Each structure stands twice: as C-alpha cells, then as structure tokens.
Amino acid sequence: LCHFSGIPTVSMHVLRHQFATMLLEEGTLSLEYIAKLMGHKSPMTTYSIYCDVMEAREQAKEALRIAGTIAKELEHPYVGTEHLLLGLRKVYSGVAGQVLANNGVQEENIEKVIEELISPTSMLRVESRPEYSPRLEYILEEGKTEALRFREAEIGTEHLLLALLGDVDCVA
C-alpha cells in the first residue's frame, strides 16, 4: 500500500525508535520508565541509543519548559530554581540529568521537597505560564557565565546545574 501511494515504507522498528525519541523529548516520563517500556535492562542502554535526541541548547530549553509546566501544574505563581532542578533531572539526555541520576537524585524526592516548601496559591489561579523568579533569572545569567568559562558557545544543562550548585542561597 505504501509503495503504490508513494509513501516511504516505515518498519515497526523505526516506529519504536521514533516513539522512544518522542517520549524522551517530551520529558514527562523518566528515563527509567522509558527503559522498561522499551525492554532495556538498564536506563544507560536507552540513553546510549537515544543520546543524540537533543542538542545542548535544546536540552536546556526543554528543562526550562518543563520547569514552567511543573510550576503551573502546582499552581505556583513563579518558576523558581527548585522547578528548574526538577526540569534538569527530567531531561535525562542532558548532562545534568545524567549527573543527578547517577548521584541518586530521584525525581520523586525533588517533587516531595517542592510540595513541602512551596504551597500553591489557590486564591490566584495561574492561567498563563508563570514568570521566572529573580533568583532563576540570576541562575540563567550564571549559566551563561559557566558556558563562557568552558568556552562553550551554547548553554547546556550542565552549565545550569553548575550555576545552581554555585548558588548557596537558591531553593534548589
């Protein structure tokens, strides 16, 4: 049917890879879960197959997008460093996600701390994407500084993580 329609033939294997790539790019499921879904014994196997999913800058953007989504879902009026930390952990294809995972930082633990520290603003309904907090804006600037320090042209998740680790006053 594909041949007669002029549509390229796509195998189930290619669809499987596309599905896994989309799940990783979306960032809502953990790499561990995707590894189980794909039938891989280790998340590192999944990562090594799909490691080229996103470039560094795209990974950092994705972490920030996830951070904003998390803040909105939790009805927080701002996106803070704590949301960014969770976003970085969820983007496992980024260096920061791997560093955090390999050092035992669990998404569930970050979520628990966020819920304990910050209460939702039930009085104010967050309709649009919450604004970045001043501290997060500072961390983003420090991320640029870290990238420049390593002579990198683009800010990656690793630069944002270094900026978070270097700031002892941020919630993250």
Side-chain angles (χ1 to χ4, degrees):
L1 185 61
C2 290
H3 176 71
F4 294 114
S5 304
I7 300 171
T9 304
V10 178
S11 69
M12 289 302 290
H13 187 77
V14 169
L15 290 175
R16 172 186 158 92
H17 281 285
Q18 184 63 38
F19 178 64
T21 300
M22 288 171 53
L23 290 176
L24 281 171
E25 286 177 338
E26 190 174 277
T28 56
L29 299 174
S30 70
L31 184 69
E32 291 82 2
Y33 181 80
I34 296 170
K36 285 181 186 176
L37 194 62
M38 294 292 108
H40 300 149
K41 291 182 181 178
S42 164
M44 289 309 292
T45 303
T46 307
Y47 175 74
S48 67
I49 293 170
Y50 303 104
C51 66
D52 61 343
V53 169
M54 294 182 277
E55 296 297 324
R57 184 182 63 178
E58 293 304 314
Q59 294 165 339
K61 281 184 183 177
E62 183 66 8
L64 284 166
R65 186 195 64 75
I66 291 169
T69 300
I70 292 164
K72 185 172 181 178
E73 287 173 357
L74 294 174
E75 298 181 4
H76 294 166
Y78 65 90
V79 182
T81 58
E82 62 278 13
H83 304 108
L84 175 60
L85 180 62
L86 185 53
L88 290 171
R89 175 58 181 88
K90 286 182 176 285
V91 180
Y92 193 83
S93 59
V95 174
Q98 294 173 54
V99 168
L100 292 167
N102 288 332
N103 283 284
V105 177
Q106 301 289 325
E107 291 177 27
E108 299 80 24
N109 293 342
I110 300 170
E111 290 168 352
K112 183 179 174 185
V113 171
I114 289 173
E115 289 175 12
E116 289 173 0
L117 291 177
I118 298 127
S119 55
T121 55
S122 56
M123 301 288 275
L124 299 169
R125 186 78 182 142
V126 180
E127 295 297 328
S128 61
R129 184 170 294 280
E131 298 290 320
Y132 291 163
S133 70
R135 184 56 86 187
L136 180 56
E137 292 283 356
Y138 172 78
I139 291 297
L140 295 176
E141 286 300 315
E142 287 300 301
K144 287 180 192 175
T145 303
E146 289 293 336
L148 290 172
R149 187 167 68 95
F150 286 100
R151 294 180 174 84
E152 298 281 341
E154 301 196 358
I155 301 168
T157 59
E158 64 274 22
H159 305 119
L160 296 174
L161 181 59
L162 285 170
L164 285 174
L165 293 171
D167 186 357
V168 295
D169 294 324
C170 73
V171 175

